[in-house]
Amino acid sequence: MSALAIDIGGTFTDIVHYDDASGRFVAHKELTTPSDPAHGVVAGIGHLFAAEGIDAAKVNRVVHATTLFTNALIERRGAVTGLLTTQGFRDTLEIGHERKYELYDLHLPLPQPLVRRALRLEALERLAPDGTVEIPLDEASVLAAADALVAKEVKSLAICFLHSYANPAHERAAARLIAERHPGLILSLSSDVSPQIREFDRSSTTVANAYVKPLAEKYLNRLSGDLAGLGIAAPLFMMLSNGGLTHVDEAKRVPIQLLESGPAAGALSAAFFGQRSGKRDLLAFDLGGTTAKLALVHGGEPLVVHKFEAGRERRFTTGSGLPLNISTIELIEIGAGGGSIAAHDALGLLKVGPRSAGSVPGPACYARGGTEPTVTDGNLLLGYLDADTFAGGTMKLSTQAAETAVGGLAAQTGLDLSRTASGIHAVVNETMAAAARIHVAEQGHDPRDFALLVTGGGGPLHGCELARRLGISQVICPPGAGVASALGLLLAPARVDRVATVTRRLDGLDWAALDAEYAGLEAEARAVIGATLGATAALAIRRSADLRFVGQGYELITELPAGPYGPGTEAAIRAAFETGYERVFSRRPAVAAVEIINIRVSVTGGTAEGVLDPEVPVTTQGAAQTGTRQVCFGDTPYSAPVLDRRRLPAGSEVMGPAIIEEAMSTLLIPPGARAQVEAGGNIVIHLAQPATAGAREREAV
């Protein structure tokens, strides 16, 4: 039997087929079709299956990640959405947190709500913070609002009543009334999507879910039908932002959980291949055609957080986007990729990105109508890419088109073609390095304590230079690096995260009631896992809680014991919270009382760890060197050997400068660096720069 992984990116759609018995995987890159993403998926599968002679009937699992819903939010291409809320709370989405993310900017751009004010209406009802009814639900006001919104062509409706996290009765009653009157209207309830305190964040999350829900239903229905049309009868699983899988019906219900599905898969892949090289502390760097992603893997696991911001007005500024209460692998996205466009700013300085040529029209060298110079054009002119074998030979690059595009930029500065291309390469590398420094520092780490694991079509090409700028001494390039995110989909377990608000002090807590509430969340999660993997799947359950000292406004997520709970549990929970608090803030306030705000469960099952074991295809016949190519590192030209990765057996050592090619990516070894091929398939590049003391200590262990 076999598995199929589908990862839709901004420029390429990656298709990977993995044979469970042999461990052999094959891949294909298809240009993404933004106007109809499913079309590119079907075309890519058809090309791969025809080229490799794969029997569609033997595929028993399909796993999918997509940027479709993220792009819909950022580009405002979702459904016409309405909001029904409690009387007096119509403007919650615009009031927000009532603070500026840049205090002294008088012209501060604020994220615009996904629902304009005319489509935000109110219902007469009111709940108290404990869930008791202060004003009963007025059914006439609900139906009048729904009628008015449908008359304005609203296709999807978010229902977000005050304090519904404590009592969902009013939201559910309103949903029943509206569904009877307008059965075609798609509904999202905050008590289902985000049942936790903080009105703005809950409203923002529910509205975002409603905004992409019709798109998700249409796309997933279409894709399921297209896969069946290809003869693939296997179940379709969707990758979530938290690094887990779920079934299609759950993805349709809460598609907001899928926003960062592709980057999450890349982080899982990095953790897996890092273990093969004995590295548990990694910076996972994935450079694609449109964006670069960086995730921190610490202790062998990517960091999962429960807050996310979409569509930031300023990419690296917290508070400038739409807050979403979703579980996601912590990562940073940088507007830099192979399609990033190079241009001069108002001061005449060279800038690269965040504008991208994407897949349509693509970089100039794709010869598909693009005329502006991009990173890929510069890399081709520097000799880093082979025009005939790019993307596994699925497309030929035009050197002449690249020269014309970069030449126009060179004419503006008076530089020659080579120096302009080197400038594009250097600027995009520094852009990524600057963002990486900030991200790693915000997590309380030094980048020099980590190895850099590179994936994506452009990661191996830029990885060594990025590492040099960050002071990192080791770079790891896994096999199949160009499609590593798609491979990561096959590593993912099924996972469900659930949260509920309780708001109780630890002292005097009814421990049996708390245990029962955790059990209720676990039962919900088990049901979703069961629908995904079957009732017999082995499960792992983690409990945590959002804790704070009484009087504080923000919480710290703390891992809790498994249960059952009793009076003796308080000391263990308090100790875990205080330890975590001191680690983050270096001190604790002079306050004794601690309270639980939210409880959380994470249930995983069916992990592929230890099952996915991709073989490393090595061709024993023929010399590894297939030729030489003139390349430039900075302003210095070199004649570099070109090596076929499939012909490099374990134990091979390569001195830079060198170019190592495989079907979906090109690894660039700079002068003075030394690369080793490991038995597990990774290529580890040692750069001529010292590691920190912390990194040396971990290496010794």
Side-chain angles (χ1 to χ4, degrees):
M1 303 303 284
S2 62
L4 187 67
I6 306 164
D7 180 23
I8 301 179
T11 303
F12 284 101
T13 293
D14 294 342
I15 313 291
V16 171
H17 178 268
Y18 176 77
D19 186 276
D20 295 327
S22 67
R24 179 174 179 265
F25 70 90
V26 290
H28 174 77
K29 279 185 177 288
E30 186 79 13
L31 281 171
T32 296
T33 49
S35 60
D36 183 7
H39 176 75
V41 171
V42 171
I45 294 174
H47 290 148
L48 179 64
F49 281 21
E52 301 292 338
I54 297 169
D55 184 355
K58 292 185 178 180
V59 175
N60 66 338
R61 185 167 62 123
V62 181
V63 189
H64 182 31
T66 177
T67 59
L68 180 63
F69 311 130
T70 305
N71 293 340
L73 274 181
I74 294 172
E75 298 169 12
R76 302 300 172 104
R77 293 187 290 102
V80 179
T81 303
L83 171 64
L84 180 63
T85 188
T86 303
Q87 189 175 69
F89 288 83
R90 184 183 186 184
D91 295 318
T92 296
L93 293 179
E94 287 180 296
I95 294 171
H97 291 130
E98 291 189 296
R99 66 171 180 266
K100 298 170 65 177
Y101 58 86
E102 292 285 359
L103 187 60
Y104 299 108
D105 189 341
L106 299 180
H107 305 284
L108 193 67
L110 298 176
Q112 294 302 305
L114 296 172
V115 180
R116 66 181 191 271
R117 194 170 193 272
L119 300 183
R120 303 196 300 262
L121 300 183
E122 302 172 346
L124 182 60
E125 66 84 41
R126 184 72 177 247
L127 298 175
D130 62 357
T132 57
V133 177
E134 292 187 351
I135 301 175
L137 179 67
D138 182 78
E139 296 184 356
S141 67
V142 170
L143 292 174
D147 292 345
L149 291 172
V150 170
K152 294 178 180 179
E153 300 185 342
V154 164
K155 305 299 181 185
S156 186
L157 177 63
I159 303 176
C160 190
F161 290 157
L162 191 65
H163 304 309
S164 62
Y165 58 84
N167 181 359
H170 281 187
E171 284 193 355
R172 292 177 181 171
R176 284 194 299 270
L177 291 168
I178 295 170
E180 291 173 2
R181 178 76 68 91
H182 302 286
L185 190 60
I186 296 174
L187 303 177
S188 296
L189 280 62
S190 75
S191 51
D192 291 336
V193 176
S194 178
Q196 55 186 300
I197 63 167
R198 296 199 170 93
E199 190 71 13
F200 172 47
D201 299 66
R202 183 162 55 92
S203 299
S204 178
T205 306
T206 309
V207 164
N209 190 77
Y211 191 69
V212 300
K213 193 171 183 178
L215 178 66
E217 290 191 0
K218 179 181 178 181
Y219 171 72
L220 294 175
N221 288 337
R222 160 81 186 279
L223 183 61
S224 298
D226 287 344
L227 292 175
L230 291 170
I232 300 173
L236 173 62
F237 300 116
M238 298 302 297
M239 183 75 179
L240 301 174
S241 301
N242 61 14
L245 303 180
T246 193
H247 58 86
V248 171
D249 288 341
E250 176 69 6
K252 291 178 186 176
R253 187 183 72 86
V254 194
I256 200 68
Q257 299 178 87
L258 278 65
L259 283 192
E260 292 294 286
S261 56
L268 290 178
S269 180
F272 174 81
F273 285 107
Q275 295 275 20
R276 285 188 160 192
S277 294
K279 298 293 183 181
R280 294 173 58 82
D281 294 337
L282 301 162
L283 296 184
F285 173 62
D286 184 333
L287 179 63
T290 306
T291 59
K293 280 79 68 175
L294 187 84
L296 192 149
V297 177
H298 191 48
E301 290 187 5
L303 175 65
V304 176
V305 295
H306 303 286
K307 294 283 188 183
F308 180 72
E309 280 190 14
R312 283 181 172 175
E313 294 291 330
R314 294 183 180 169
R315 186 177 292 271
F316 305 122
T317 305
T318 301
S320 66
L322 302 172
L324 303 175
N325 291 330
I326 61 172
S327 298
T328 179
I329 287 179
E330 175 82 311
L331 53 85
I332 187 171
E333 290 199 21
I334 308 161
S340 294
I341 295 170
H344 291 102
D345 64 11
L347 297 177
L349 301 176
L350 180 63
K351 301 293 182 184
V352 182
R355 279 199 314 128
S356 174
S359 60
V360 180
C365 60
Y366 286 11
R368 295 168 61 91
T371 58
E372 296 183 276
T374 68
V375 172
T376 299
D377 295 313
N379 287 339
L380 177 62
L381 297 182
L382 291 171
Y384 301 158
L385 298 174
D386 189 321
D388 295 324
T389 62
F390 182 75
T394 58
M395 61 187 303
K396 306 295 183 182
L397 300 183
S398 169
T399 303
Q400 181 178 354
E403 289 176 348
T404 301
V406 177
L409 189 66
Q412 298 174 22
T413 58
L415 299 176
D416 61 30
L417 208 60
S418 177
R419 294 193 67 184
T420 303
S422 293
I424 294 172
H425 188 77
V427 169
V428 77
N429 285 332
E430 183 54 36
T431 298
M432 295 185 291
R437 291 187 197 100
I438 294 171
H439 180 68
V440 176
E442 287 177 344
Q443 307 306 315
H445 295 286
D446 186 332
R448 295 172 297 174
D449 292 340
F450 295 81
L452 185 73
L453 192 140
V454 293
T455 57
L461 204 60
H462 292 260
C464 288
E465 177 61 18
L466 177 65
R468 185 189 69 78
R469 291 171 183 266
L470 293 174
I472 294 173
S473 59
Q474 282 191 347
V475 177
I476 302 172
C477 182
V483 292
S485 287
L487 271 174
L489 296 173
L490 304 178
L491 291 162
R495 173 168 175 159
V496 177
D497 290 326
R498 286 289 186 266
V499 60
T501 296
V502 295
T503 318
R504 297 170 195 164
R505 289 172 58 131
L506 278 185
D507 49 3
L509 187 64
D510 184 338
W511 294 101
L514 180 66
D515 213 36
E517 288 177 286
Y518 268 111
L521 293 182
E522 289 165 8
E524 290 181 25
R526 286 174 186 270
V528 177
I529 296 281
T532 305
L533 300 178
T536 59
L539 303 180
I541 300 174
R542 286 185 177 180
R543 291 181 175 183
S544 59
D546 299 1
L547 302 176
R548 69 186 185 191
F549 289 108
V550 172
Q552 290 183 323
Y554 292 92
E555 301 79 44
L556 184 70
I557 298 177
T558 305
E559 198 87 15
L560 299 191
Y565 297 147
T569 309
E570 180 181 352
I573 293 178
R574 178 184 289 274
F577 168 63
E578 291 179 348
T579 299
Y581 194 95
E582 289 187 355
R583 184 181 67 250
V584 174
F585 299 107
S586 300
R587 64 184 68 190
R588 74 179 74 163
V591 179
V594 175
E595 59 184 346
I596 294 181
I597 302 301
N598 298 317
I599 60 173
R600 300 180 183 274
V601 298
S602 175
V603 180
T604 57
T607 176
E609 187 174 354
V611 176
L612 180 66
D613 188 21
E615 70 167 11
V616 183
V618 175
T619 302
T620 55
Q621 296 180 350
Q625 184 170 340
T626 60
T628 59
R629 203 151 66 227
Q630 292 296 313
V631 297
C632 287
F633 290 90
D635 294 331
T636 307
Y638 292 86
S639 179
V642 180
L643 307 172
D644 186 339
R645 182 165 182 165
R646 296 170 301 171
R647 297 178 182 177
L648 289 173
S652 299
E653 190 167 290
V654 178
M655 297 301 297
I659 300 170
I660 302 177
E661 295 183 336
E662 61 177 335
M664 302 299 167
S665 65
T666 299
L667 175 61
L668 193 63
I669 312 295
R674 176 173 55 90
Q676 290 179 306
V677 182
E678 297 184 331
N682 290 340
I683 295 179
V684 179
I685 302 97
H686 302 271
L687 302 178
Q689 52 195 27
T692 64
R696 289 194 299 271
E697 290 173 5
R698 278 189 287 276
E699 187 77 20
V701 175

